[in-house]
Amino acid sequence: MAFLAKGKMFAAATVVAMLALATGAQAAASCGKTGAGFDAWKQDFAAEARAEGVGSRGLAALAGATYATRTISADRAIHKAFSGSVEAFMKRRGGAAIISKGRALKKSNAALFDKIERTYGVSPGVLLAIWGMETGFGASMGNQNTVSAILTLAYDCRRPDYFQPHAIAALKLVDRGTLTASSVGAMHGEIGHTQFLPGNVLKYGVGSGNLRDKSIALASTANFLKAHGWQAGASAQSNMGAIAGWNSASVYQQAIARIATAIDGE
């Protein structure tokens, strides 16, 4: 009996080990570090996208997506972009110029910012700080194919769990006509004047969700900040929690707060 018991334990252990190997192989196949497995991954992801409600236009955009090597290069260097002191970061990103132009845009778009503040309780300074920091007030919204960028990050092994919901969202935005298979944006799949990830467009985008329209982009950004705890009437420094919801990098958060304070306090 002891032998039989030991034999059964061995057999059970063998089955468990085989299952573990199979699971590991499946997990390994679910992401990649080069473009070699991207086309095969897309076929598997299409089934998931279909189950999530993605329609024919979104699935066609998925089928036509290509592995975005420039996105991967940018992603590997992202920590360097947010390194150093706040002062150094602001200098690299043109903080003084953002403040100067932000003040002028606050005056020339006073009616728009007043309407946004009445609706969402978010002051102009932080919106202008984000707008200036992200795209130079719409001057540089990116030229990377959005669907390919976000799908590449969903496939890449570094952060697939984070980007896969955004990839599904991007395909749904194609279904809606908010995006097309040829839409372009920033390297990580961000969209429009203030650089929303696709999932955030779905969740916080207002109106048509066309974030290449500055009015919609700024109102959507205010909606995002309000949803992340922005307190109307409080300073940017007092609303760091909401700013942190926008970007997790400490130097970015502090730069936005400083720029917003300078614009609103003129």
Side-chain angles (χ1 to χ4, degrees):
M1 291 296 293
F3 177 81
L4 288 174
K6 185 176 180 180
K8 289 179 181 179
M9 289 171 63
F10 177 81
T14 301
V15 170
V16 169
M18 291 175 67
L19 287 172
L21 286 171
T23 302
Q26 185 178 7
S30 69
C31 71
K33 295 181 179 180
T34 71
F38 185 60
D39 286 339
W41 175 87
K42 285 196 304 177
Q43 295 178 21
D44 291 338
F45 194 67
E48 182 178 337
R50 195 177 293 109
E52 291 283 344
V54 174
S56 58
R57 285 198 293 186
L59 292 171
L62 167 59
T66 57
Y67 185 75
T69 54
R70 290 193 303 146
T71 287
I72 293 301
S73 295
D75 188 62
R76 298 300 183 261
I78 196 166
H79 291 297
K80 185 178 180 180
F82 295 102
S83 63
S85 67
V86 181
E87 291 76 16
F89 178 76
M90 288 182 67
K91 186 175 181 179
R92 289 199 306 272
R93 301 294 285 266
I98 292 172
I99 291 168
S100 178
K101 188 166 184 178
R103 286 172 172 167
L105 286 169
K106 180 182 174 181
K107 292 177 181 177
S108 62
N109 293 273
L112 171 61
F113 286 111
D114 286 347
K115 181 180 179 181
I116 290 174
E117 188 163 14
R118 288 195 306 271
T119 304
Y120 302 101
V122 177
S123 54
V126 70
L127 300 176
L128 286 156
I130 290 171
W131 187 17
M133 184 73 74
E134 293 290 346
T135 66
F137 304 104
S140 180
M141 289 189 273
N143 59 6
Q144 175 67 289
N145 183 278
T146 298
V147 173
S148 291
I150 205 72
L151 283 167
T152 297
L153 292 168
Y155 159 75
D156 185 61
C157 286
R158 196 164 87 83
R159 291 180 290 170
D161 291 343
Y162 178 77
F163 282 106
Q164 285 181 10
H166 288 296
I168 294 292
L171 301 179
K172 289 183 176 180
L173 290 172
V174 173
D175 282 332
R176 293 184 181 189
T178 306
L179 292 177
T180 70
S182 58
S183 291
V184 296
M187 285 297 175
H188 283 74
E190 305 98 329
I191 300 163
H193 280 269
T194 55
Q195 304 287 272
F196 268 54
L197 283 169
N200 291 333
V201 178
L202 282 183
K203 192 169 184 179
Y204 305 107
V206 302
S208 68
N210 176 18
L211 271 72
R212 295 187 79 86
D213 178 309
K214 74 176 184 182
S215 299
I216 292 172
L218 292 167
S220 298
T221 305
N223 189 37
F224 179 101
L225 292 170
K226 180 182 179 182
H228 285 76
W230 184 275
Q231 297 298 307
S235 67
Q237 290 289 347
S238 298
N239 275 298
M240 291 299 285
I243 296 171
W246 182 266
N247 190 297
S248 62
S250 176
V251 290
Y252 182 102
Q253 296 162 18
Q254 294 175 63
I256 290 296
R258 291 187 188 186
I259 293 168
T261 299
I263 292 172
D264 281 337
E266 62 174 328

